[in-house]
Amino acid sequence: EFLDVILCKYYSTFCETLGILNPDLLKSNGLTFEDFYTDYKISTKGAFMQAVCVLVQEMQHIEHQLNFGADRKKSDFEIGETLRIYERRALNLMNDKVLNETHFV
């Protein structure tokens, strides 16, 4: 919900720092906020794919603990809570504004 504010702040800080290091680079084509935001949206695809792979692996591991973990150190309740957290994270990914604008169309 604060994504736009964070990205604007990041972009302005980047441009300020770039201006200190090499002011001529600020005149380059493709250095607008719109270009930056487009690049950001594109970069989320790789991050999304990696996050989904990790979530699936972790959920499979947790499911295995529930089904076959006789010697486990956690209770069924604790394992269930962990699984619930991972499921909530997966739902948050599916409801992400940028991902829905770029990858789920």
Side-chain angles (χ1 to χ4, degrees), residues 52-92:
V52 167
C53 290
V54 170
L55 281 171
V56 168
Q57 288 176 340
E58 289 296 321
M59 290 170 77
Q60 288 173 340
H61 175 71
I62 293 167
E63 181 182 5
H64 182 75
Q65 283 183 325
L66 276 173
N67 293 328
F68 304 106
D71 60 340
R72 64 180 176 248
K73 294 181 176 34
K74 292 184 177 182
S75 68
D76 284 351
F77 176 78
E78 291 173 312
I79 294 171
E81 282 297 301
T82 302
L83 186 57
R84 185 178 62 79
I85 291 167
Y86 278 94
E87 288 172 347
R88 188 176 340 129
R89 180 63 184 130
L91 285 173
N92 286 342

Side-chain angles (χ1 to χ4, degrees), residues 7-72:
L7 290 177
C8 283
K9 183 65 176 169
Y10 179 89
Y11 175 76
S12 66
T13 303
F14 172 78
C15 287
E16 287 174 16
T17 304
L18 187 61
I20 292 167
L21 297 174
N22 189 345
D24 292 335
L25 289 177
L26 288 175
K27 300 172 189 169
S28 300
N29 290 337
L31 199 58
T32 65
F33 180 77
E34 291 76 22
D35 292 328
F36 166 75
Y37 191 72
T38 299
D39 288 345
Y40 169 78
K41 289 193 297 188
I42 291 169
S43 72
T44 60
K45 186 171 187 174
F48 169 73
M49 297 303 287
Q50 186 175 9
V52 167
C53 290
V54 170
L55 281 171
V56 168
Q57 288 176 340
E58 289 296 321
M59 290 170 77
Q60 288 173 340
H61 175 71
I62 293 167
E63 181 182 5
H64 182 75
Q65 283 183 325
L66 276 173
N67 293 328
F68 304 106
D71 60 340
R72 64 180 176 248

